[in-house]
Amino acid sequence: MVRGAPAIAIVGCLSLAVEIYPEEYESKKTLRQEIEGKLNYLVSSRPTAVNMKGAAEEMIALANDLAKDDSVSASEMKQRFLAATEAMLQKDISDNMAIGTHGATAILSNVSGDGPIRVLTHCNTGSLATAG
């Protein structure tokens, strides 16, 4: 079970990457259909997870662009898709680290005294709902 829209998107795309990684695709058309079909299924299974829809649209667009590029083989298309999925994960981790750093700086700059600090968070709170 995965909770949190950002985490759903990352886990969905990574699960597809894990699924296609060991496979050999003879044609880009077959690979594109596999990517599009499985991502559309993931979106339909979690229609309120807006990050999943956005990630799926981005990855389907990449698959379509690569499928149209005659200079790209099916093997290279698969590798580029896998690399884009890994980049998505790294970007999410980086974004969340930056949010945490900026948030901590803002909170601590407004604190007076040495007492405990309490923070109430709402929705998509760091690693509980994201990749990092």
Side-chain angles (χ1 to χ4, degrees):
M1 255 184 129
V2 177
R3 303 273 309 152
I8 291 167
I10 295 297
V11 170
C13 290
L14 288 174
S15 66
L16 177 56
V18 167
E19 191 171 328
I20 69 170
Y21 176 79
E23 301 297 324
E24 294 295 327
Y25 295 91
E26 292 184 22
S27 76
K28 294 190 297 183
K29 179 182 178 185
T30 302
L31 176 55
R32 186 198 59 75
Q33 289 172 334
E34 183 84 358
I35 291 168
E36 186 172 1
K38 298 220 170 165
L39 287 173
N40 282 332
Y41 174 77
L42 287 169
V43 170
S44 72
S45 69
R46 292 299 304 265
T48 61
V50 295
N51 295 58
M52 184 68 244
K53 185 174 188 324
E57 289 171 351
E58 181 182 327
M59 300 308 271
I60 290 169
L62 173 64
N64 286 332
D65 290 345
L66 292 170
K68 293 175 190 173
D69 187 341
D70 292 334
S71 69
V72 176
S73 68
S75 177
E76 185 178 355
M77 179 179 169
K78 180 176 94 169
Q79 291 307 315
R80 287 194 189 180
F81 178 83
L82 296 173
T85 304
E86 176 68 24
M88 182 183 295
L89 170 63
Q90 294 307 320
K91 182 181 182 317
D92 192 63
I93 291 170
S94 175
D95 288 351
N96 287 299
M97 294 297 289
I99 290 168
T101 299
H102 292 301
T105 301
I107 290 167
L108 294 175
S109 70
N110 291 299
V111 172
S112 59
D114 293 333
I117 299 168
R118 293 188 179 150
V119 177
L120 174 64
T121 61
H122 172 70
C123 197
N124 296 342
T125 306
S127 61
L128 297 176
T130 66

